Amino acid sequence: MGASKIKAPRGTFDVLGEEASRRTALEARARSILEGAGYERIETPVFEATELFARGVGESTDIVRKEMFTFEDQAGRSLTLRPEGTAPVCRAYVEHGMHKRRQPVKLWYLSSFFRHERAQAGRYREFWQIGAEAIGSEDPAVDAESISLLAALLAEMDVRELRLRLSSLGSLESRIEYRERLQAYLRANQESLSDEVRGRIELNPLRAFDSEHPGTQRVMRGAPLLREHLSDEDAEHFAQVRALLDAAGVGYELDPTLVRGLDYYTRTVFEFTSDALGAQSGVGGGGRYDGLVEQLGGPPTPGMGWAAGMERILLAGDGGGAPSAAGAPPPATLAPVELFVALASSPASSPEGEGEGEHPREDLRAAAFGLLSEARSAGLSAQMDLGGRSLKGQLGHADALRARYVAILADGQTVLKDMQGGGQEQMATNAVVHAVLRGHHAL
Ligand code: AMP
C-alpha cells in the first residue's frame, strides 16, 4: 500500500502550464509600465516582526485581528507572514535611509501575501499582488500618476467591466473629528445595526459603511459623510487630484462611502472593481498614507500607493496579457526616459537655484500631466517631476535620468529640447509626442 497523498494547503495553489505563462506576461506588462514611469523593483522578506503590521496596518483592522499567520521563532520572537506590502516597503524606506534620496522614492513589487481568509474563487490564503508605492511627496500629481498607472495596467490586461471609485478621507486630524460624529450617530441608531457593526463602534466605526447587513445599510444611508468634514487644504488637494485625472482621461466615480480596510489611509483613497468577478469584485486599490512612515519610526513623510491582485486581474482579464498578444512591450529594465515633462517656474521666482518659495506653475500642471499621459499611451517612457521643484531642479532631475527629450511647458507654448542633439524647438503642446516619436524613429 502506498503512502497517502499530500495536498497543497487550503486556499493555496500551484502555478504551472498556461497559468504560468499568463502570469509571466502580466509581470512583463507591470514592469514595463512601472519601470517606464521611474519605479524601481523592491522585494522585502516574506515574514516580518508582528509589530510592524500591528502598528502599521492597525490593531482595529480585520487583517490584524483575524487574518494573520503569526508564529514564534525558536527565540520566542513573534513573526508574521506578510499580509500586505505597504508597511514592509515603508519599513525598508526607513531602514535604508531612503529619505536622503531624491523624493519621491518610487518602488514596485510583485510578491505573495498571506491572509487567513475563507478560501473561495478569487480569494486565497496565499495570493500575489503587484504593488507600487511613491514615498516622500504630497504632490497631488503623485496620487494622479499612481492611479493612472494602475488604470493603464488594467486596461492593457483587458480587465472587463472595470469601475474606479474615488474618495478622500482627509487628514488624520479631520478624521478624528468626523469619527466622533459618526460614533455618536451610530450609538443613536444602534438597535438597527448588525451585532458586528455595533461591536465595532468604538474601535472602527468607519467600517460600518462596508456592511452588507440590510438594517446597517439603511442607517448608513443617513450617516454623516467624511467629505463634509474635509479641511480646506484637504478639499483643495482632492480637487487637484481629480483635475489631473480628468486631464489624463481617467474616468472615475466619486464614492464618499469608500473606506478601505486598513487604518493608515489619509486623503486620497481609490478602488478598482470588476463586475465580471462577482462577489470578490476588488481588483486593486490604495491611497495616501501620510502618517505611516512616521508611525514606523521614520521622519514625517507622506506616501501614496496601491496593490492589485494578480489572480483577480487574470480572472477578470480578457487575455490581453497572453504571451502571443501582438505588440507586447519588451520588459524594460531601467527603461531610458524618452521624454521628461517640465513646467516653467512662476514668474515671481528667480531663475537661480531651488530657492524657498519657488514653485512650478500650478496652472500648467494639468496640461503637463495630460502630456505625460499622452506620451505614455503612445508607448514612450515618460516622467515628470513630482517633488514641486523649480525649473532648474526639474532640469537637474531630467539630467539625472538621462532623459532624451525635455518638454518645458510655459504659457501657450512648449519648448522641446533634444538633450542628445542639443537643439530645441518651440511647438504646440499637442505636437510634442509626435515630434518625440519622429525624432525617436530617426535615431
Ligand atoms: P488590499 O490589500 O486588501 O487592499 O487588496 C488589494 C487587492 O489584492 C485586492 O483588490 C485583490 O485584488 C487582492 N486580494 C486581497 N486579498 C486577496 C485574497 N485573499 N485572495 C486573492 N486576492 C486578494
Side-chain angles (χ1 to χ4, degrees):
M1 214 176 80
S4 60
K5 282 186 201 147
I6 300 173
K7 289 187 169 172
R10 195 180 171 75
T12 68
F13 51 85
D14 300 306
V15 175
L16 60 156
E18 171 76 3
E19 185 64 16
S21 317
R22 295 181 74 212
R23 294 171 80 97
T24 306
L26 170 53
E27 176 172 0
R29 296 272 168 148
R31 188 187 316 137
S32 166
I33 290 175
L34 293 169
E35 294 187 356
Y39 281 75
E40 274 173 51
R41 181 74 180 249
I42 180 169
E43 282 304 329
T44 59
V46 167
F47 56 84
E48 298 267 3
T50 302
E51 197 193 346
L52 173 65
F53 303 111
R55 241 205 275 170
V57 178
E59 300 274 12
S60 72
T61 60
D62 280 349
I63 292 181
V64 172
R65 284 171 33 155
K66 304 194 257 193
E67 295 171 1
M68 299 205 302
F69 286 94
T70 297
F71 58 97
E72 279 189 6
D73 68 6
Q74 272 94 337
R77 282 177 289 249
S78 181
L79 300 171
T80 291
L81 297 183
R82 58 186 173 197
E84 63 92 56
T86 304
V89 169
C90 288
R91 186 218 19 88
Y93 177 93
V94 175
E95 194 162 329
H96 298 280
M98 290 194 230
H99 62 279
K100 293 187 208 117
R101 294 215 223 152
R102 185 189 295 274
Q103 307 292 302
V105 174
K106 299 195 208 172
L107 302 163
W108 80 280
Y109 56 81
L110 189 164
S111 325
S112 61
F113 295 90
F114 306 84
R115 292 183 196 172
H116 201 288
E117 299 197 85
R118 198 173 314 154
Q120 52 188 285
R123 176 179 286 188
Y124 312 99
R125 291 184 176 172
E126 178 181 9
F127 57 96
W128 294 72
Q129 286 183 338
I130 295 167
E133 315 288 351
I135 309 177
S137 167
E138 53 178 11
D139 192 325
V142 172
D143 308 42
E145 171 177 79
S146 166
I147 296 171
S148 307
L149 292 171
L150 181 52
L153 177 62
L154 299 178
E156 282 205 12
M157 297 306 295
D158 290 333
V159 172
R160 290 163 291 153
E161 300 175 57
L162 195 64
R163 293 200 298 153
L164 166 58
R165 293 184 301 143
L166 182 71
S167 190
S168 172
L169 297 179
S171 55
L172 287 176
E173 301 83 73
S174 45
R175 236 207 357 264
I176 291 168
E177 210 184 286
Y178 167 72
R179 200 183 137 107
E180 282 166 11
R181 263 202 68 188
L182 182 62
Q183 282 170 329
Y185 176 80
L186 291 173
R187 273 188 226 110
N189 290 283
Q190 40 178 315
E191 67 289 351
S192 312
L193 302 175
S194 72
D195 291 345
E196 199 185 356
V197 170
R198 196 179 313 124
R200 269 205 294 210
I201 294 180
E202 301 313 317
L203 205 55
N204 199 345
L206 266 81
R207 292 305 302 277
F209 284 109
D210 281 343
S211 172
E212 272 155 26
H213 175 256
T216 306
Q217 287 186 340
R218 222 170 16 251
V219 171
M220 295 321 285
R221 264 177 240 134
L225 293 175
L226 186 50
R227 77 164 168 222
E228 291 148 13
H229 291 257
L230 292 186
S231 68
D232 291 350
E233 266 193 329
D234 291 341
E236 174 57 25
H237 190 273
F238 190 43
Q240 287 192 33
V241 173
R242 295 192 319 261
L244 293 171
L245 287 173
D246 294 341
V250 176
Y252 53 84
E253 299 157 35
L254 294 179
D255 181 352
T257 68
L258 176 65
V259 276
R260 310 227 345 117
L262 300 94
D263 273 359
Y264 49 62
Y265 288 114
T266 54
R267 292 192 159 176
T268 312
V269 283
F270 71 97
E271 194 156 271
F272 283 95
T273 52
S274 164
D275 293 336
L277 283 176
Q280 307 301 318
S281 65
V283 179
R288 248 189 194 283
Y289 42 86
D290 289 347
L292 182 57
V293 170
E294 192 176 7
Q295 211 168 324
L296 298 177
T301 311
M304 164 83 202
W306 50 256
M310 272 188 103
E311 294 77 32
R312 303 239 184 120
I313 294 177
L314 292 171
L315 275 172
D318 253 347
S324 55
T333 21
L334 284 182
V337 173
E338 287 151 324
L339 176 66
F340 189 92
V341 181
L343 286 90
S345 298
S346 50
S349 61
S350 80
E352 270 92 35
E354 215 168 325
E356 280 291 310
E358 185 182 345
H359 294 296
R361 292 271 307 276
E362 287 305 322
D363 51 328
L364 295 170
R365 225 132 65 123
F369 199 75
L371 175 58
L372 180 74
S373 304
E374 190 196 336
R376 286 179 178 163
S377 304
L380 292 171
S381 96
Q383 291 199 45
M384 74 185 260
D385 190 273
L386 300 172
R389 294 185 176 80
S390 66
L391 180 57
K392 190 175 171 196
Q394 296 176 72
L395 294 177
H397 189 182
D399 249 356
L401 292 169
R402 300 218 207 103
R404 173 77 169 83
Y405 290 93
V406 176
I408 304 171
L409 273 71
D411 278 325
Q413 54 162 36
T414 292
V415 173
L416 183 65
K417 280 166 90 89
D418 180 342
M419 305 299 275
Q420 267 169 30
Q424 67 177 56
E425 204 182 319
Q426 191 167 315
M427 61 186 70
T429 308
N430 63 13
V432 169
V433 168
H434 189 68
V436 172
L437 286 170
R438 213 177 40 223
H440 193 57
H441 291 313
L443 282 177

